[in-house]
Amino acid sequence: MAIKKSELYSSLWESCDALRGSMDASQYKDYVLVMLFVKYISDKWAGQPYAPITIPKGASFTDMVALKGATDIGDQINKKILAPIAEANKLAKFPDFNDPTKLGTDKEMIDTLDALIGIFENPALDFSKNKADGDDILGDAYEFLMRHFATQSGKSKGQFYTPSEVSRTLASIIGINKVDTNSDITVYDPTCGSGSLLLKVGEFAQSKVTLYGQEKDATTAGLARMNMILHDNPTAEIKQGNTLAKPLFEDKNQQDNLKTFDFVVANPPFSDKRWSNGLTLPNDTYNRFADYGIPPSKNGDYAFLLHIVRSLKRNGKGAIILPHGVLFRGNAEAEIRTNLIKKGFIKGIIGLPANLFYGTGIPAAIIFIDKENAHNRKGIFMIDAGKGFIKDGNKNRLREQDIKRITDVFTAQKEVKGFSRMVSIEEISKNEYNLNIPRYIDNQEKEDIQDIEAHLKGGIPINDIDDLSNFWEVFPTLKSELFNVIMNDELAIMNGGKYAYLNIESDKIKDTVLKHSDFKAFSEVMDIILKKWAEGTNTLLKNLQKGHKPKELIQNIAEQLLLTYTQSTNSPFTIHHSQLVNKYNVYQLLMSYWNETMQDDCYIISADGWVAETYRILVANKAKKMIDKGWTCDLIPKDLVINKYFKTEKNALADLETEKENSSSQITELEEEQSGEDSYFAEIEKVSKTNVTKRLKEVKTQCLASPNDADLQAEQKVLKQYIDLHTQLTATNKKIKQAEKELDEKLYAKYPTLTETEVKTLVVDDKWMQTIENAIKGEIDHISQRLTNRIKELAERYQTPLPQINQEVKNLEEKVNAHLAKMGYTVFNRD
């Protein structure tokens, strides 16, 4: 059975627990990732001739397993496993697996390393069998671990990792996917960290790509090299050293001795104060600052940017992530910025949300450099994406819809009010070459202004009603049914009819909207649009074959969903509809379900086909004994099969549950009725079936002595009723348990008999499409809720004008004064 992505990730994260107590995340990540690396290359290439990675004899993961329990296990791992692998493949030095300061001494070290190896012995973690062609599960797992390590590493140690969402955003719009498929593309990252950004850009290439990276920190450079291998890029060149002081990719045929590349990307350390260490300024061997200016001695942001400019080929394209300050800071940076703009090298700027990165909480921007046709560039395309994110723990994170929206808008160079704009060089020059995004894009939400006249005289301002014009364009006759313009009083005449009344009670707004013909027509159009996408997607999904590529699948169906909710002449989805239905919100619904559930299912199908495989759930108890907790099926939840094939049994169980609820309710009601001091349960310290039974025996004895005591007879009746209800509840619970057992046995027998067609129906129709369609219909429902809530808010805001409030206060004051006078108090009038 194929392992689910989510299970793979959680299994790998368990390995961190073996080390978590002895060192901080920035350290134990090295040990876990090395173990992942050795396991992966052993599964994939051990014993394979002409493999891109050499695993020397005796240095595989299997050989490491044989070391478990050895008194010198750490030293043996270093000498017999890691050293031969590093030497054979010219890898950087691995972390020391025999370091007592991190792994403990003697038995503690043995236990820790044994536990770590044991995690990767799990048969489900056979990486050679868990990789759909073109879908790098291991690379994704590595990214998952890196994100978690970065999260836990703290402010000063999380900078080795660029968040995947930012890397994907940059990679999707730098233009590498548009290069001719017959070309050999070179991509370079001068501050590559663990290599995540470099790899993401490489993934978007449609042709052969060669990756180059340089990283100052030796340990992080080693991580980057392993990351390249885990992502099937074993030929990538990763070098260790200070890029600004000594670039290690040189070309003596180039005028400045720097090797140049088709694409260069970077997420350098922000505002590096030591950037000039090792340089002799103002001279620079590589001539990177000539024609631009020398960056400030205590801020290296532009030093890295200028290094990128010099490292690009004549028509090369680059992108760098830098703090917002580079867009507007003065002095030396203003001079550099001006020169870059005048040369036409800056193609675009994307402002990102604050608190995305692990080393800092400040907002950053992606600056795009494009040398192609730079001399003809007349403007810079800007995007303010600072408001598009979701909270993720103590950090912010770009959502799928944010990445997609940025990508679509930037690629099309489409101007969107409050989000994007092409700003002319002429306008920028008038602003003294200041590139601060808020100068050019106003993304402030319109203030909800209170209307004083309406508060004084009553009525809803027409301006507020007209602000809902996007609704009235889709529901043209609904507005007149909801509102009546005031034209028959002094205020209306004075203000030219600027105010309106609701024609209905505020509690009837929602019902009026939902039942109106305009809204019904809109809902029908939405149903048609959804049905169109669902039909094509359903067919595509049911035709999935073993070995399909899940990442290609989701990209395909997600793009089709976006197109479905995009205005076109061939669709009933008009520009007015698009103002109500945000296609990127709909896109997010699909992508969220994909990430939570659907991708795991697709990887299972890619590995095993359309098979509803069941397995036992085994859980270790406190004594570490495995306990059978039943069975499950990842692909098809039990509820789907029950709803399809066992409705009679389900209804019978539902009836028993109703019977159980009735008995429980009656017991609760009886306890509440008899809970007072003079009640029949007053003598019972804690009301329960056992204690009530005990009390009943006492009452029966008393009844024999006083057979005519009516109160004792009544108490006996109540006590017996309570016991009978409990007896009935126990019997019902027993029936439920038996019915559940019988249904479970029928289910377990049913799964192996499901045909491929039945499995497809259950998974595609009943699980995937039903969930997605329900979510999208819920998004459509929110439209009526937004309209209803806003109208109700306006109605309640102005429903009681000031004169009416004053009169109500006066009436209440008169009532209070009258009561006070009756009580003999002197009343003073506030006037």
Side-chain angles (χ1 to χ4, degrees), residues 528-546:
I528 291 170
I529 292 169
L530 179 56
K531 184 178 180 182
K532 175 185 176 183
W533 175 80
E535 287 177 347
T537 303
N538 189 295
T539 301
L540 174 65
L541 293 173
K542 287 185 176 178
N543 285 329
L544 292 178
Q545 301 295 318
K546 191 174 180 179

Side-chain angles (χ1 to χ4, degrees), residues 463-494:
N463 287 337
D464 285 328
I465 297 173
D466 289 345
D467 283 341
L468 299 170
S469 59
N470 54 339
F471 289 98
W472 310 137
E473 288 171 347
V474 180
F475 314 137
T477 64
L478 176 60
K479 178 180 176 181
S480 60
E481 184 165 332
L482 289 170
F483 300 101
N484 179 34
V485 178
I486 306 170
M487 291 301 293
N488 59 355
D489 64 8
E490 182 181 347
L491 178 67
I493 294 170
M494 189 186 342

Side-chain angles (χ1 to χ4, degrees), residues 403-688:
I403 299 170
K404 187 60 179 172
R405 186 187 186 201
I406 293 170
T407 301
D408 289 349
V409 170
F410 191 91
T411 302
Q413 301 279 282
K414 179 182 178 181
E415 294 198 352
V416 179
K417 185 178 180 180
F419 183 73
S420 62
R421 184 177 167 222
M422 176 62 78
V423 183
S424 69
I425 300 298
E426 181 182 2
E427 182 179 353
I428 292 171
S429 69
K430 290 179 180 177
N431 279 282
E432 299 179 335
Y433 295 95
N434 186 312
L435 295 177
N436 196 21
I437 297 174
R439 285 195 176 216
Y440 307 101
I441 300 175
D442 182 7
N443 71 352
Q444 298 299 312
E445 295 180 3
K446 183 178 179 181
E447 186 179 356
D448 188 9
I449 299 174
Q450 300 278 340
D451 190 301
I452 302 301
E453 290 292 328
H455 279 299
L456 291 172
K457 302 291 186 178
I460 300 172
I462 293 295
N463 287 337
D464 285 328
I465 297 173
D466 289 345
D467 283 341
L468 299 170
S469 59
N470 54 339
F471 289 98
W472 310 137
E473 288 171 347
V474 180
F475 314 137
T477 64
L478 176 60
K479 178 180 176 181
S480 60
E481 184 165 332
L482 289 170
F483 300 101
N484 179 34
V485 178
I486 306 170
M487 291 301 293
N488 59 355
D489 64 8
E490 182 181 347
L491 178 67
I493 294 170
M494 189 186 342
N495 293 288
K498 293 182 178 179
Y499 300 88
Y501 287 134
L502 261 180
N503 286 331
I504 56 176
E505 299 295 327
S506 61
D507 60 353
K508 295 181 180 179
I509 296 173
K510 182 176 181 180
D511 196 48
T512 301
V513 171
L514 293 177
K515 290 182 178 179
H516 196 275
S517 58
D518 287 349
F519 188 82
K520 288 182 177 179
F522 167 76
S523 297
E524 289 173 2
V525 170
M526 292 300 104
D527 287 343
I528 291 170
I529 292 169
L530 179 56
K531 184 178 180 182
K532 175 185 176 183
W533 175 80
E535 287 177 347
T537 303
N538 189 295
T539 301
L540 174 65
L541 293 173
K542 287 185 176 178
N543 285 329
L544 292 178
Q545 301 295 318
K546 191 174 180 179
H548 77 270
K549 301 177 181 180
K551 287 185 178 178
E552 290 185 6
L553 169 68
I554 186 57
Q555 183 177 357
N556 185 356
I557 62 176
E559 285 292 340
Q560 287 302 314
L561 184 63
L562 274 176
L563 287 174
T564 300
Y565 285 92
T566 300
Q567 176 199 357
S568 72
T569 55
N570 299 322
S571 170
F573 191 76
T574 68
I575 188 172
H576 301 314
H577 291 122
S578 66
Q579 291 174 353
L580 292 187
V581 183
N582 186 325
K583 65 180 180 180
Y584 293 107
N585 286 348
V586 176
Y587 174 87
Q588 182 64 43
L589 295 173
L590 171 62
M591 296 306 297
S592 293
Y593 182 61
W594 171 263
N595 291 328
E596 293 164 4
T597 301
M598 195 173 169
Q599 74 164 335
D600 276 341
D601 293 344
C602 287
Y603 274 95
I604 290 172
I605 293 167
S606 180
D608 301 333
W610 294 94
V611 179
E613 186 173 352
T614 60
Y615 63 90
R616 308 303 301 185
I617 303 171
L618 301 176
V619 179
N621 61 12
K622 293 182 179 180
K624 296 185 178 181
K625 181 180 179 181
M626 301 307 291
I627 305 299
D628 191 332
K629 292 291 185 179
W631 62 278
T632 191
C633 176
D634 288 328
L635 191 59
I636 306 177
K638 294 179 182 180
D639 285 347
L640 293 180
V641 180
I642 291 171
N643 292 334
K644 180 76 73 175
Y645 300 105
F646 300 101
K647 288 184 178 179
T648 301
E649 290 84 350
K650 179 183 177 181
N651 292 336
L653 259 172
D655 291 341
L656 288 171
E657 288 290 347
T658 301
E659 185 179 324
K660 174 184 175 180
E661 290 175 9
N662 289 337
S663 297
S664 296
S665 296
Q666 291 179 56
I667 290 170
T668 301
E669 289 174 10
L670 192 57
E671 288 175 347
E672 291 175 352
E673 288 174 4
Q674 303 299 330
S675 60
E677 291 182 4
D678 298 328
S679 68
Y680 293 126
F681 290 167
E683 299 294 328
I684 303 174
E685 183 177 349
K686 182 178 180 181
V687 179
S688 66

Side-chain angles (χ1 to χ4, degrees), residues 251-260 285-287 291 310:
D251 185 346
K252 299 302 180 183
N253 296 320
Q254 294 288 338
Q255 182 179 354
D256 300 321
N257 290 336
L258 277 180
K259 180 178 177 63
T260 56
T285 305
Y286 302 96
N287 203 33
D291 304 327
R310 290 297 191 199

Side-chain angles (χ1 to χ4, degrees), residues 87-103:
E87 184 178 353
N89 298 284
K90 298 180 180 179
L91 297 175
K93 184 179 178 181
F94 289 112
D96 183 4
F97 274 68
N98 196 40
D99 186 344
T101 64
K102 296 177 181 177
L103 299 168

